[in-house]
Amino acid sequence: MGAEISVDELTVRYRSKNGNFVDALGPISIHVEAGEKVALLGPSGCGKTTLLKVAAGLLKPTSGRVLIDGEEPDLPRRRGEIGVVFQKPTLLPWRSVLENVLLPLRIRGRTDDRVKRKAVNLLRAIGLGGFEHSYPNELSIGMQQRCALARAMIQSPRVLLLDEPFAALDEMNREMLNFDMLRLCEPTHITALLITHNVYEAVLFSDRVVVLSARPGQKVTEVRVDLGPARDPRLLESERYYEHVISVRKALRIPRLMMAS
Amino acid sequence: MTRTKGSLISGTLTTMKEWWPSVALLGLLTLAVELFARTNSIPRVILPAVSDLAASIRNTGPSFLLRHFSMTAFESVAGFAIGAGVGFGIGVMMYYSRFLERILYPIVVTSKAVPLVAMAPLLTFWLGYDVWAKIIMAALVSYFPVTVGTVSGLKYVDQELTDLLKSLGADERKVFTEVRLRAALPNVFAALKIASVLSVVGSVVGEMAGSTGGLGYLLLASIYYVDVALSAAICLVMASLGLSMFTTVALLEQKIINWRPAVDTGNR
């Protein structure tokens, strides 16, 4: 089901307000297999979000390219094959939870009873059963982010791009949402790219953690996470999990050294 | 988490419950004026009692008054509708085109800088004594706040929401109807409420500048005959017109903007 993402010698350069060019990202190359879950871990301002925007087809790269199953991201995005969850829930306050989840389909003019049922099931699976007709302002941030996740999944995308989706949540909520999300993703074999600066989350979610340097973000190293596809809360109490956390933490020392030099 | 969705009646009822102190205060003041006026320490001709106002309305003839009331009401409502429509249209145009904004903004502000009272006789010269001059007056006063409200409402739309819609493949028309317009509505309605009351001011000033009917005309006549009770009664009738237009807009707002969480009245 998932698509492969290949990031190839990608660089992004912004023009800042005073007219100078700022290298935000790259050159960076990452290959994500179909169905693989990769976490991008790096200091703030290293261009993680920029990379995600290029992968979502929302930003043109300065050089290099991102291909999704060999296509420019714009095309699969228009077909609804890319689901994105941003840092903030970004829900329409004047639409109910259900209407927000159906928004991508409504924009493309494709709502019927079948997708409505699908949305209701999706909401139930993510823990929002019974809140279909609530409005976003009546929900907690965690619940709003669950709604945003359901919206990203409504078109059964092949690629899920997550830009620090749970950064605003407290630790407990965050953990719960991570497991709920894993449960939601698992049967779909979706390809997922998670941007985070939380080591625990990166290890918990991914099959591979890619460590980025400070701006302009470049790949420093990567750590494979061999924790298997099925992950449950007990994993957090296992030594295997913490071994991975420690090796990622060690890998994180490298960019700090690079910054010092 | 409960929501009284679109229940206008229960909404008004709770409002009535909340507003009884204001009604009580108004009642007390009325009573005070009535009692004070009845002492005749100031001649009744100059400070009439509230009962005198009622009597003056009865003597003038309610149907006669109603005819003039409906004329002013028509001018105000028509002027408000035109002003609101034009104001909103100009606001949207100014939002989308910087060029148009640069052309229109100074004109809009200048039109507002000319005192309303000064404009009234001019419009009467140009448009005559019938309703048109008054409708234009009402429209001229009500379009300005609506333009300002629309522009500022559209400007402060959450960019993340518009970006989201664009990323989902929405064109600008969809972005406008789904995000910009709705996000601007609270501001637009605030402006409409102001404009609804102002429109009555516009039509009345127009009538006072030259007319053959309407509450403003009647007011001038009653002042001419030094009928203070009737003048005051007419003022109250004008107020009731403005008030009912305001309430209509407010109820419409309540019905349309149903997504804001219930107003928190607990901690005050």
Side-chain angles (χ1 to χ4, degrees), chain A residues 213-225:
Chain A
S213 67
R215 190 159 62 193
Q218 282 168 324
K219 183 167 135 185
V220 179
T221 181
E222 58 178 50
V223 178
R224 262 204 183 279
V225 181

PDB file of all heavy atoms in Angstrom, chain A residues 213-225:
ATOM      1  N   SER A 213      21.687  17.388  11.260  1.00  0.00           N
ATOM      2  CA  SER A 213      22.531  18.396  11.884  1.00  0.00           C
ATOM      3  C   SER A 213      21.776  19.717  11.971  1.00  0.00           C
ATOM      4  O   SER A 213      20.679  19.844  11.446  1.00  0.00           O
ATOM      5  CB  SER A 213      23.791  18.597  11.049  1.00  0.00           C
ATOM      6  OG  SER A 213      23.427  19.183   9.813  1.00  0.00           O
ATOM      7  N   ALA A 214      22.407  20.691  12.628  1.00  0.00           N
ATOM      8  CA  ALA A 214      21.812  22.026  12.677  1.00  0.00           C
ATOM      9  C   ALA A 214      21.846  22.636  11.286  1.00  0.00           C
ATOM     10  O   ALA A 214      22.455  22.095  10.370  1.00  0.00           O
ATOM     11  CB  ALA A 214      22.557  22.901  13.666  1.00  0.00           C
ATOM     12  N   ARG A 215      21.179  23.792  11.119  1.00  0.00           N
ATOM     13  CA  ARG A 215      21.021  24.411   9.810  1.00  0.00           C
ATOM     14  C   ARG A 215      22.336  24.653   9.092  1.00  0.00           C
ATOM     15  O   ARG A 215      23.258  25.155   9.725  1.00  0.00           O
ATOM     16  CB  ARG A 215      20.285  25.736   9.980  1.00  0.00           C
ATOM     17  CG  ARG A 215      19.861  26.323   8.668  1.00  0.00           C
ATOM     18  CD  ARG A 215      18.758  27.284   8.819  1.00  0.00           C
ATOM     19  NE  ARG A 215      19.124  28.434   9.642  1.00  0.00           N
ATOM     20  CZ  ARG A 215      18.224  29.294  10.118  1.00  0.00           C
ATOM     21  NH1 ARG A 215      16.970  29.100   9.890  1.00  0.00           N
ATOM     22  NH2 ARG A 215      18.617  30.307  10.812  1.00  0.00           N
ATOM     23  N   PRO A 216      22.438  24.383   7.803  1.00  0.00           N
ATOM     24  CA  PRO A 216      21.415  23.710   6.994  1.00  0.00           C
ATOM     25  C   PRO A 216      21.393  22.217   7.275  1.00  0.00           C
ATOM     26  O   PRO A 216      22.435  21.579   7.295  1.00  0.00           O
ATOM     27  CB  PRO A 216      21.876  23.998   5.569  1.00  0.00           C
ATOM     28  CG  PRO A 216      23.346  24.183   5.658  1.00  0.00           C
ATOM     29  CD  PRO A 216      23.620  24.750   7.009  1.00  0.00           C
ATOM     30  N   GLY A 217      20.192  21.671   7.521  1.00  0.00           N
ATOM     31  CA  GLY A 217      20.054  20.293   7.944  1.00  0.00           C
ATOM     32  C   GLY A 217      20.658  19.295   6.969  1.00  0.00           C
ATOM     33  O   GLY A 217      20.365  19.320   5.782  1.00  0.00           O
ATOM     34  N   GLN A 218      21.536  18.485   7.501  1.00  0.00           N
ATOM     35  CA  GLN A 218      22.113  17.420   6.689  1.00  0.00           C
ATOM     36  C   GLN A 218      22.059  16.135   7.489  1.00  0.00           C
ATOM     37  O   GLN A 218      22.057  16.177   8.715  1.00  0.00           O
ATOM     38  CB  GLN A 218      23.564  17.762   6.330  1.00  0.00           C
ATOM     39  CG  GLN A 218      23.658  18.773   5.221  1.00  0.00           C
ATOM     40  CD  GLN A 218      25.057  19.328   5.050  1.00  0.00           C
ATOM     41  OE1 GLN A 218      25.774  19.528   6.027  1.00  0.00           O
ATOM     42  NE2 GLN A 218      25.426  19.582   3.822  1.00  0.00           N
ATOM     43  N   LYS A 219      22.062  15.027   6.768  1.00  0.00           N
ATOM     44  CA  LYS A 219      21.982  13.757   7.482  1.00  0.00           C
ATOM     45  C   LYS A 219      23.314  13.478   8.149  1.00  0.00           C
ATOM     46  O   LYS A 219      24.373  13.504   7.511  1.00  0.00           O
ATOM     47  CB  LYS A 219      21.647  12.651   6.479  1.00  0.00           C
ATOM     48  CG  LYS A 219      21.469  11.294   7.123  1.00  0.00           C
ATOM     49  CD  LYS A 219      20.822  10.341   6.134  1.00  0.00           C
ATOM     50  CE  LYS A 219      21.555   9.002   6.150  1.00  0.00           C
ATOM     51  NZ  LYS A 219      21.018   8.112   5.110  1.00  0.00           N
ATOM     52  N   VAL A 220      23.295  13.242   9.459  1.00  0.00           N
ATOM     53  CA  VAL A 220      24.519  12.953  10.180  1.00  0.00           C
ATOM     54  C   VAL A 220      24.740  11.457  10.250  1.00  0.00           C
ATOM     55  O   VAL A 220      25.798  10.945   9.900  1.00  0.00           O
ATOM     56  CB  VAL A 220      24.451  13.530  11.613  1.00  0.00           C
ATOM     57  CG1 VAL A 220      25.724  13.201  12.360  1.00  0.00           C
ATOM     58  CG2 VAL A 220      24.226  15.007  11.565  1.00  0.00           C
ATOM     59  N   THR A 221      23.710  10.786  10.699  1.00  0.00           N
ATOM     60  CA  THR A 221      23.811   9.339  10.818  1.00  0.00           C
ATOM     61  C   THR A 221      22.402   8.783  10.951  1.00  0.00           C
ATOM     62  O   THR A 221      21.434   9.548  11.013  1.00  0.00           O
ATOM     63  CB  THR A 221      24.651   8.940  12.045  1.00  0.00           C
ATOM     64  OG1 THR A 221      24.730   7.520  12.110  1.00  0.00           O
ATOM     65  CG2 THR A 221      24.025   9.460  13.326  1.00  0.00           C
ATOM     66  N   GLU A 222      22.286   7.487  10.954  1.00  0.00           N
ATOM     67  CA  GLU A 222      20.967   6.923  11.198  1.00  0.00           C
ATOM     68  C   GLU A 222      21.061   5.699  12.088  1.00  0.00           C
ATOM     69  O   GLU A 222      22.090   5.036  12.143  1.00  0.00           O
ATOM     70  CB  GLU A 222      20.250   6.620   9.896  1.00  0.00           C
ATOM     71  CG  GLU A 222      20.976   5.671   8.974  1.00  0.00           C
ATOM     72  CD  GLU A 222      20.149   5.395   7.724  1.00  0.00           C
ATOM     73  OE1 GLU A 222      19.690   6.357   7.097  1.00  0.00           O
ATOM     74  OE2 GLU A 222      19.969   4.207   7.398  1.00  0.00           O
ATOM     75  N   VAL A 223      19.991   5.436  12.799  1.00  0.00           N
ATOM     76  CA  VAL A 223      19.945   4.315  13.733  1.00  0.00           C
ATOM     77  C   VAL A 223      18.763   3.437  13.367  1.00  0.00           C
ATOM     78  O   VAL A 223      17.635   3.930  13.253  1.00  0.00           O
ATOM     79  CB  VAL A 223      19.785   4.824  15.185  1.00  0.00           C
ATOM     80  CG1 VAL A 223      19.698   3.639  16.148  1.00  0.00           C
ATOM     81  CG2 VAL A 223      20.927   5.741  15.565  1.00  0.00           C
ATOM     82  N   ARG A 224      19.023   2.173  13.134  1.00  0.00           N
ATOM     83  CA  ARG A 224      17.921   1.239  12.860  1.00  0.00           C
ATOM     84  C   ARG A 224      17.211   0.886  14.157  1.00  0.00           C
ATOM     85  O   ARG A 224      17.838   0.723  15.193  1.00  0.00           O
ATOM     86  CB  ARG A 224      18.487  -0.049  12.249  1.00  0.00           C
ATOM     87  CG  ARG A 224      18.358  -0.016  10.831  1.00  0.00           C
ATOM     88  CD  ARG A 224      18.323  -1.212  10.007  1.00  0.00           C
ATOM     89  NE  ARG A 224      18.270  -0.683   8.641  1.00  0.00           N
ATOM     90  CZ  ARG A 224      17.155  -0.248   8.061  1.00  0.00           C
ATOM     91  NH1 ARG A 224      15.998  -0.339   8.674  1.00  0.00           N
ATOM     92  NH2 ARG A 224      17.188   0.261   6.850  1.00  0.00           N
ATOM     93  N   VAL A 225      15.911   0.782  14.081  1.00  0.00           N
ATOM     94  CA  VAL A 225      15.142   0.421  15.271  1.00  0.00           C
ATOM     95  C   VAL A 225      14.536  -0.946  15.033  1.00  0.00           C
ATOM     96  O   VAL A 225      13.611  -1.085  14.241  1.00  0.00           O
ATOM     97  CB  VAL A 225      14.036   1.462  15.550  1.00  0.00           C
ATOM     98  CG1 VAL A 225      13.259   1.085  16.800  1.00  0.00           C
ATOM     99  CG2 VAL A 225      14.631   2.846  15.697  1.00  0.00           C
TER     100      VAL A 225
END
